Amino acid sequence: MVSNNPEKDINIAQAEAVKYQTKILFTAFEIRILNLLAGLIMIYAIRSIFGITVSYKAEYVFYAWIATSACYLAFMGSRIRKTLRLLDNVHFSYYFFSIVYATSLVHYLGAAEWIAFFVYLFDLIYANVLMSRARAALITGLTVLAYFSLITLEYFGAFSHQAVFLPEEHVFNNIPFIISTHFIVIGVFFFLLSYSTGLFAKIKESREREVIESQNRFAVKTYQLEEITRRLSHQAAENKYLKRAAMGYIEKKEFELDKSRRDLEGQIDKLRKTQKSMYFMIEDLNEMSAQLKETRDNLEDKVRERTDELLNISRKLHRSERLAFLGKLAGSVTHELRNPLAVLKNASYFLTKKFKGKKDEGVSKYIGIIEKEIGIIDSIIDDIMGFAKTRIPEFEEADIGELVENSIATINIPKFINIKKEYQKLPQVEVDSNQVMHAVMNIANNAIIAMSGNGTLTFRTLLKDNYACIEIEDTGPGIPQDQRDLIFEPLFSSKPKGTGLGLPIAKMMIEIQGGRIEFDSKLGKGTIFYIILPVHRKKAS
């Protein structure tokens, strides 16, 4: 159910986002502190077990770095009111400390002599995953600048070099080694790490946004479906009232007719008793009898007309009740299927990622089957939702030929289907573009299925008597005579896996815009569907 207070919904969503981001950053700083403690323990082990001399200043840097991280951790766990902007700025400020601490550690651990540059990697990964692309690129650039500056200053003697590990004698003074290994290889490595990590973070954020948008669209559709259900229930109640009123009217007329019949019989009895004295009025009586017969016939016609009206009302009531049931059913089915369908989509996505690049054709084949069947289920749910909602069209001026072209671009057309286009120049027409495109796609998809993926599908636009007409012609087998009155009935389908909602949805979307759909079919030759829309729409008074 969608809230009637959008501002409140936005505030709740923002609060949840702040809470989620705070939790992530709190966990990140916990892991940083654990990593720093592990590094400090490793320094003690190197000095105590292996007897390698490591400057005590490296330990002081570890202590300072742990203390700084603890301060940021305390901030994340505090009850201070936070916003996403404040969290991002505080987290960004931390990297200036971490670059200084990491550069100091690299200096005290031997700099260019070995792989001390790995000290930078953990915070580079965090920056590219948790920060924006611009800030992550800035942090990566500052890290590379700090490392290169340290190597250069040590080489030229601005800082005293701290020798810890020496792979070979005087390797630090070997300028080709420093340039090739650190200035080129390690620099490229840092930027590649930053790019790949940032790309992964971008993909993750994109998936999260898609999930949130899907949830919001589903909530809006659910609310619309509930509104439609309430309106249908109200209309059904009104139809019951009309039925009762019609029955009362018929009973009243039957009573009046019976009364007239009794009065007429009484008059006939009186005429029989006074027959001898009323011979001179025979002609008048005959004429009166003819008039009475005509009146009776007219009354029977009126009763027959009222009976037909009552039958029409009854059929409309039955259809309204059926639509109300379908509305409730659509809400129940989509609510129950959307969540497990989302789980199946995510599982298929992660299976695809897991087996990507692996030579296992069997697994890839069945993953493809799963994704195809998920698409079929998703299409059925969209058909049910499209039939259940009666959205008021949003009119805007549009080019009919351009709408048809956009529809064709969206349709999945098999390679053996030949597409022909015959467009006339039409004036701009006020329509709901999305609904017209949806109707064109539904009819075209039915035509492709009818042709079994092999034939010619022709699209035409033309002007007929101030109506814009879209013709969709296929070369399929045609529609059997016994099915032509049923193709626009909901849930009727001649296809094994059809929902029977494609053509009813198209008809509903066009008629609500003041248009109509007609068709002409010849067995063994094909079918033409006509979407007819008014060029000049009547303005509401």
Side-chain angles (χ1 to χ4, degrees):
M1 183 75 179
V2 178
S3 171
N4 292 326
N5 191 345
E7 184 177 353
K8 181 179 179 182
D9 292 340
I10 292 173
N11 292 335
I12 293 174
Q14 290 176 346
E16 289 294 328
V18 170
K19 183 178 178 181
Y20 176 70
Q21 187 68 9
T22 303
K23 184 177 179 180
I24 290 177
L25 292 178
F26 185 86
T27 303
F29 279 107
E30 282 185 328
I31 296 173
R32 283 189 177 101
I33 292 173
L34 292 176
N35 289 336
L36 292 171
L37 288 173
L40 188 60
I41 293 171
M42 186 176 68
I43 293 296
Y44 286 134
I46 291 172
R47 183 185 295 120
S48 303
I49 299 174
F50 300 102
I52 298 174
T53 301
V54 179
S55 174
Y56 283 97
K57 292 180 180 179
E59 298 177 17
Y60 301 150
V61 174
F62 269 114
Y63 292 141
W65 200 347
I66 291 172
T68 302
S69 298
C71 291
Y72 279 87
L73 180 67
F75 173 78
M76 296 302 168
S78 66
R79 296 184 178 273
I80 297 174
R81 184 177 180 182
K82 305 175 185 69
T83 62
L84 288 175
R85 184 175 181 181
L86 175 62
L87 288 171
D88 192 58
N89 290 335
V90 170
H91 186 213
F92 180 63
S93 68
Y94 167 80
Y95 289 99
F96 292 97
F97 293 103
S98 70
I99 291 173
V100 172
Y101 291 143
T103 305
S104 301
L105 277 178
V106 171
H107 171 64
Y108 292 123
L109 294 177
E113 293 180 357
W114 68 304
I115 58 172
F117 67 87
F118 270 92
V119 173
Y120 292 109
L121 297 187
F122 293 104
D123 277 332
L124 273 180
I125 292 173
Y126 282 133
N128 283 276
V129 171
L130 300 178
M131 302 296 294
S132 65
R133 292 302 301 146
R135 288 191 168 182
L138 175 61
I139 292 167
T140 302
L142 291 175
T143 300
V144 173
L145 179 62
Y147 181 71
F148 287 175
S149 299
L150 173 64
I151 299 300
T152 304
L153 292 174
E154 285 192 5
Y155 177 77
F156 287 105
F159 293 130
S160 60
H161 176 60
Q162 303 290 322
V164 179
F165 300 97
L166 291 174
E168 60 180 82
E169 189 175 359
H170 304 303
V171 71
F172 179 73
N173 295 326
N174 186 344
I175 188 62
F177 172 80
I178 292 176
I179 292 175
S180 63
T181 304
H182 292 77
F183 280 77
I184 298 177
V185 177
I186 296 174
V188 172
F189 174 73
F190 276 6
F191 278 107
L192 286 177
L193 175 68
S194 171
Y195 176 78
S196 60
T197 309
L199 183 62
F200 173 76
K202 185 177 180 180
I203 293 173
K204 171 178 169 291
E205 291 173 359
S206 175
R207 294 296 296 172
E208 289 177 347
R209 284 196 300 270
E210 289 177 0
V211 170
I212 292 173
E213 290 174 359
S214 297
Q215 291 174 345
N216 292 337
R217 287 196 298 269
F218 178 73
V220 170
K221 290 182 178 179
T222 302
Y223 174 74
Q224 293 174 345
L225 184 59
E226 291 175 352
E227 286 295 322
I228 291 170
T229 302
R230 282 196 292 271
R231 287 199 298 270
L232 289 174
S233 299
H234 180 68
Q235 291 175 0
E238 290 180 347
N239 288 335
K240 290 180 180 178
Y241 171 78
L242 291 175
K243 181 179 178 181
R244 289 195 297 270
M247 291 296 295
Y249 179 82
I250 291 173
E251 290 174 356
K252 179 180 178 182
K253 289 301 180 182
E254 288 179 345
F255 174 78
E256 292 176 355
L257 179 62
D258 185 63
K259 182 179 179 182
S260 298
R261 182 180 59 79
R262 290 195 299 269
D263 292 341
L264 182 59
E265 290 174 350
Q267 291 176 10
I268 291 173
D269 290 337
K270 291 179 181 179
L271 286 173
R272 286 176 178 174
K273 293 178 181 178
T274 59
Q275 185 176 11
K276 292 181 181 180
S277 61
M278 299 291 291
Y279 278 123
F280 63 92
M281 295 182 66
I282 290 176
E283 292 181 357
D284 293 337
L285 286 174
N286 289 334
E287 183 180 357
M288 184 181 295
S289 177
Q291 292 176 352
L292 287 173
K293 184 178 182 299
E294 182 180 358
T295 301
R296 184 184 63 187
D297 292 338
N298 291 337
L299 188 58
E300 288 177 353
D301 291 337
K302 289 182 180 180
V303 171
R304 191 179 299 108
E305 290 175 0
R306 295 300 181 184
T307 302
D308 293 338
E309 290 178 3
L310 180 60
L311 290 175
N312 288 332
I313 292 172
S314 178
R315 283 194 293 268
K316 290 181 180 179
L317 175 61
H318 177 70
R319 181 176 176 85
S320 298
E321 291 173 347
R322 184 181 180 190
L323 290 176
F325 171 75
L326 286 177
K328 294 179 181 178
L329 178 61
S332 174
V333 169
T334 53
H335 177 75
E336 295 298 329
L337 288 183
R338 284 292 190 188
N339 290 337
L341 186 59
V343 173
L344 288 175
K345 286 183 179 178
N346 289 335
S348 174
Y349 171 78
F350 284 113
L351 283 174
T352 303
K353 295 290 289 183
K354 180 176 181 63
F355 289 97
K356 184 178 181 181
K358 295 183 179 181
K359 296 181 178 180
D360 191 339
E361 296 180 356
V363 173
S364 300
K365 174 184 176 182
Y366 286 112
I367 290 175
I369 293 173
I370 291 172
E371 291 176 344
K372 179 180 177 182
E373 295 303 319
I374 288 173
I376 293 173
I377 296 173
D378 208 3
S379 174
I380 292 172
I381 292 175
D382 289 340
D383 282 348
I384 295 174
M385 291 299 295
F387 179 75
K389 64 180 183 181
T390 54
R391 181 175 66 82
I392 298 174
E394 299 177 0
F395 293 107
E396 60 181 1
E397 287 192 351
D399 187 332
I400 295 298
E402 184 177 345
L403 293 183
V404 175
E405 277 295 306
N406 293 339
S407 303
I408 296 172
T410 308
I411 300 168
N412 183 16
I413 301 174
K415 65 178 181 178
F416 294 111
I417 292 291
N418 182 30
I419 300 298
K420 292 178 62 178
K421 303 172 184 178
E422 301 174 3
Y423 298 157
Q424 290 184 6
K425 183 64 178 178
L426 301 181
Q428 295 285 313
V429 181
E430 286 190 4
V431 294
D432 187 312
S433 300
N434 290 331
Q435 289 186 351
V436 173
M437 288 176 60
H438 196 161
V440 172
M441 288 187 290
N442 282 5
I443 294 173
N445 283 328
N446 275 7
I448 291 171
I449 294 172
M451 293 187 291
S452 300
N454 188 2
T456 300
L457 187 60
T458 304
F459 294 87
R460 302 187 187 92
T461 61
L462 60 155
L463 192 65
K464 289 184 178 179
D465 300 327
N466 285 329
Y467 283 89
C469 183
I470 302 171
E471 294 185 1
I472 304 171
E473 180 178 2
D474 65 63
T475 57
I479 302 173
Q481 189 67 38
D482 58 345
Q483 295 181 7
R484 296 184 182 184
D485 294 334
L486 302 174
I487 61 172
F488 292 111
E489 284 296 318
L491 305 181
F492 171 79
S493 175
S494 61
K495 300 185 291 293
K497 294 186 178 181
T499 61
L501 296 177
L503 290 178
I505 290 173
K507 179 177 173 65
M508 177 178 63
M509 288 182 173
I510 297 302
E511 289 183 348
I512 202 172
Q513 299 183 56
R516 65 185 187 275
I517 296 181
E518 299 175 354
F519 71 93
D520 184 20
S521 183
K522 295 181 180 179
L523 291 178
K525 294 185 178 181
T527 302
I528 305 177
F529 276 87
Y530 307 90
I531 299 177
I532 302 171
L533 296 164
V535 174
H536 303 293
R537 188 169 301 282
K538 295 181 180 179
K539 302 295 183 181
S541 59

